[in-house]
């Protein structure tokens, strides 16, 4: 009888472990394939929701969207000399009011939004600068890379 109980509980725990592993796998797949969207462009800043998590994913996103940023959003006014700050968008929030909320300098607030939640936390994901037809410098995850016109990328420095 004791053996039957252990076997049953062992099956139960195996089922639970398999179920948890399946949920983790589904979550990881969702994190990779989730849609990326440009929420707002303001000056030299681009606020992006669901930016890829990996450095390679961020490079791919940049290469797929640099023409869109230039043509649709007019953020690259001079293709031979530009700087763009790509920010993670975590939603609109109220401006900070106390010392525990952080400094107002950590937020970008917009006057065109007419409710209390009109600020975005400045969460820089990558900085891209250079010349679209020549070298482009990409700072991401504490490292600076150079992308050459042929698409090859080389690490320049680590911070």
């Amino acid at each position: 009888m004791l053996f039957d109980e252990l076997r049953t509980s062992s099956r139960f725990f195996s089922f639970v472990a398999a179920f948890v592993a399946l949920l983790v796998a589904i979550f990881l797949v969702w994190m990779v394939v989730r849609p990326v969207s440009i929420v707002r462009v303001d000056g030299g800043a681009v606020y992006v929701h669901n930016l890829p998590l990996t450095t390679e994913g961020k490079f791919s996103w940049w290469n797929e969207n640099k023409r869109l940023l230039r043509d649709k959003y007019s953020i690259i006014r001079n293709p031979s000399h530009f700087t763009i700050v790509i920010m993670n968008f975590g939603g609109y929030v109220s401006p900070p009011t106390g010392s525990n909320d952080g400094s107002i300098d950590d937020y970008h607030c917009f006057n065109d939004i007419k409710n209390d939640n009109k600020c975005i936390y400045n969460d820089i994901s990558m900085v891209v600068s250079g010349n679209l037809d020549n070298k482009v410098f990409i700072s991401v995850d504490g490292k600076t890379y150079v992308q050459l016109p042929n698409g090859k990328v080389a690490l320049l420095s680590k911070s």
Side-chain angles (χ1 to χ4, degrees):
M1 182 174 222
L2 180 60
F3 179 72
D4 288 337
E5 287 179 26
L6 288 175
R7 191 175 68 189
T8 305
S9 65
S10 175
R11 285 184 189 161
F12 173 74
F13 288 117
S14 295
F15 173 76
V16 169
F19 183 72
V20 168
L22 177 65
L23 288 177
V24 168
I26 289 170
F27 175 75
L28 291 175
V29 167
W30 176 80
M31 291 294 288
V32 170
V33 300
R34 62 191 175 155
V36 178
S37 60
I38 296 172
V39 176
R40 184 179 187 115
V41 175
D42 186 68
V46 179
Y47 297 91
V48 180
H49 191 250
N50 294 332
L51 196 62
L53 300 175
T54 65
T55 300
E56 293 80 11
K58 291 172 185 173
F59 285 149
S60 294
W61 182 87
W62 162 251
N63 287 318
E64 293 166 6
N65 289 279
K66 60 186 169 188
R67 304 285 179 218
L68 175 75
L69 293 171
R70 183 188 68 192
D71 299 340
K72 181 177 179 182
Y73 295 103
S74 302
I75 194 166
I76 302 173
R77 293 190 177 98
N78 182 354
S80 64
H81 180 71
F82 69 92
T83 299
I84 299 172
V85 180
I86 311 293
M87 306 277 224
N88 289 313
F89 177 78
Y92 290 100
V93 296
S94 302
T97 57
S99 60
N100 290 337
D101 294 341
S103 168
I104 191 68
D105 296 333
D106 295 335
Y107 295 82
H108 190 145
C109 299
F110 302 96
N111 292 329
D112 62 335
I113 297 175
K114 301 301 179 201
N115 65 44
D116 290 339
N117 294 336
K118 62 181 181 177
C119 299
I120 300 173
Y121 181 71
N122 292 329
D123 182 9
I124 299 173
S125 180
M126 54 194 284
V127 178
V128 183
S129 61
N131 181 331
L132 278 182
D133 298 320
N134 200 347
K135 292 180 182 178
V136 174
F137 299 91
I138 303 171
S139 297
V140 60
D141 299 330
K143 298 174 184 168
T144 301
Y145 301 84
V146 62
Q147 185 175 33
L148 302 174
N150 64 6
K152 291 190 179 188
V153 176
L155 178 63
L156 285 181
S157 67
K158 297 179 187 180
S159 60

